[in-house]
Amino acid sequence: MQAFVAPAQAPVDRNTPECIELKKKLAAGFRMIARRKMDDGIAGHISCRVPGTHDEFWVNPLGLFFEEVTASDLLVVNVKGEIVEGNRPYNQAAFAIHSVLHSQRHDVQAICHTHPPKGTAFAAMGRKIKIVDQTACSFYEDNTLVTEYDGVVATPEMAMGMHHAIGNHRVAVLQNHGLITMAGSIEQAVIDMLDLERTCELNIAVLPRWEEVKEVEREAALQAKQVYTSPGRLFLQWQALVRQIEPMKPHYAGTYGASSAAN
């Protein structure tokens, strides 16, 4: 694997109003996943690239349930594996996966990876998702199946294999593993995970008659994809999701205060 060499960059202030809001949104995303019981103990991770950097990202520390993570718990890790901010260890798989994908996918701001029940069950089938409804259309021509599973992703080499298998797709089903989403915003990465889990659930429902399934036609799928990935839909969906998790304690904002991450 060719080592990633980050270009020189000016010192970054990670506590600007923009960065604080991103941390709050990232913490809110953990609660959204947890509320739907799509997390997996202390496994799974969501990350966000630190604005103005080539090689740093926020990620959840090892040992916290998704429902416990607050904005002030988040670590800043660089692609060398150094903890730049924070006082907890990180998950080695989180570092391997997110450091490689963030360094290789410059179009990606946020990455969400977990092992949700329906998605993981469907992943064991070794099949690509079928576009069975308009929610699934969000992933039309933008999803793939990663068939290689060599155990817990513990090294950059294993993560690079995942990256090559995913290519430029936005989401992937990871055979015998789980789901992963990569997007240009935290909102889309998290909402994509919720939508992908639902898509896998519907795919499981039609498995007994798999060969008879009629997928959405191309033109209709493209039209629905445009609607489901539109800024307006993501904005309104995110606001609704934040309202659902606002009462959860401890509050996702942590020491940054309980103002909403809906905007």
Side-chain angles (χ1 to χ4, degrees), residues 173-246:
V173 173
L174 309 175
Q175 186 173 306
N176 305 116
H177 189 173
L179 306 177
I180 191 165
T181 64
M182 293 150 287
S185 69
I186 295 168
E187 294 93 325
Q188 184 166 16
V190 173
I191 290 170
D192 278 352
M193 180 59 74
L194 304 182
D195 288 346
L196 187 56
E197 170 76 343
R198 181 184 187 279
T199 296
C200 289
E201 181 177 10
L202 293 184
N203 272 243
I204 290 172
V206 302
L207 270 174
R209 306 187 73 170
W210 187 258
E211 300 306 324
E212 299 175 43
V213 171
K214 298 185 184 303
E215 295 189 74
V216 179
E217 296 289 342
R218 177 177 174 78
E219 291 305 314
L222 289 172
Q223 187 270 354
K225 179 179 181 179
Q226 185 175 19
V227 172
Y228 268 71
T229 59
S230 68
R233 186 254 176 170
L234 293 173
F235 175 75
L236 293 173
Q237 185 84 353
W238 184 261
Q239 286 189 317
L241 291 166
V242 170
R243 290 195 298 272
Q244 287 185 324
I245 55 96
E246 274 289 340

Side-chain angles (χ1 to χ4, degrees), residues 148-171:
E148 298 82 6
Y149 178 69
D150 300 319
V152 175
V153 182
T155 67
E157 290 75 20
M158 295 172 75
M160 185 60 76
M162 179 186 290
H163 160 65
H164 288 313
I166 294 171
N168 292 322
H169 294 98
R170 199 172 91 237
V171 307

Side-chain angles (χ1 to χ4, degrees), residues 35-225:
R35 186 179 182 277
R36 285 159 180 76
K37 302 186 185 304
M38 290 170 55
D39 48 350
D40 178 18
I42 60 171
H45 12 90
I46 314 174
S47 68
C48 175
R49 188 190 305 275
V50 176
T53 72
H54 306 289
D55 63 346
E56 294 181 357
F57 55 91
W58 289 293
V59 71
N60 48 310
L62 180 64
L64 295 182
F65 291 127
F66 275 25
E67 65 189 24
E68 296 181 285
V69 176
T70 71
S72 44
D73 292 319
L74 296 170
L75 305 177
V76 176
V77 180
N78 65 25
V79 296
K80 297 177 183 177
E82 299 166 338
I83 298 175
V84 180
E85 283 188 3
N87 54 14
R88 293 174 180 265
Y90 56 73
N91 182 316
Q92 183 60 38
F95 166 68
I97 292 170
H98 294 263
S99 63
V100 166
L101 292 178
H102 277 297
S103 66
Q104 298 296 318
R105 290 286 300 271
H106 296 168
D107 59 315
V108 167
Q109 183 194 38
I111 300 168
C112 182
H113 167 57
T114 187
H115 316 136
K118 304 298 192 304
T120 306
F122 180 75
M125 307 289 179
R127 300 170 185 256
K128 287 189 67 176
I129 60 170
K130 285 196 173 186
I131 308 301
V132 297
D133 75 329
Q134 61 187 22
T135 301
C137 289
S138 176
F139 311 118
Y140 184 72
E141 296 182 338
D142 212 357
N143 74 91
T144 193
L145 170 69
V146 176
T147 57
E148 298 82 6
Y149 178 69
D150 300 319
V152 175
V153 182
T155 67
E157 290 75 20
M158 295 172 75
M160 185 60 76
M162 179 186 290
H163 160 65
H164 288 313
I166 294 171
N168 292 322
H169 294 98
R170 199 172 91 237
V171 307
V173 173
L174 309 175
Q175 186 173 306
N176 305 116
H177 189 173
L179 306 177
I180 191 165
T181 64
M182 293 150 287
S185 69
I186 295 168
E187 294 93 325
Q188 184 166 16
V190 173
I191 290 170
D192 278 352
M193 180 59 74
L194 304 182
D195 288 346
L196 187 56
E197 170 76 343
R198 181 184 187 279
T199 296
C200 289
E201 181 177 10
L202 293 184
N203 272 243
I204 290 172
V206 302
L207 270 174
R209 306 187 73 170
W210 187 258
E211 300 306 324
E212 299 175 43
V213 171
K214 298 185 184 303
E215 295 189 74
V216 179
E217 296 289 342
R218 177 177 174 78
E219 291 305 314
L222 289 172
Q223 187 270 354
K225 179 179 181 179

Side-chain angles (χ1 to χ4, degrees), residues 12-34:
V12 172
D13 180 356
R14 303 181 193 89
N15 286 293
T16 64
E18 177 192 10
C19 286
I20 290 171
E21 286 307 307
L22 285 173
K23 285 188 271 191
K24 289 180 182 179
K25 284 183 179 181
L26 188 57
F30 288 102
R31 304 302 176 88
M32 294 167 191
I33 300 293

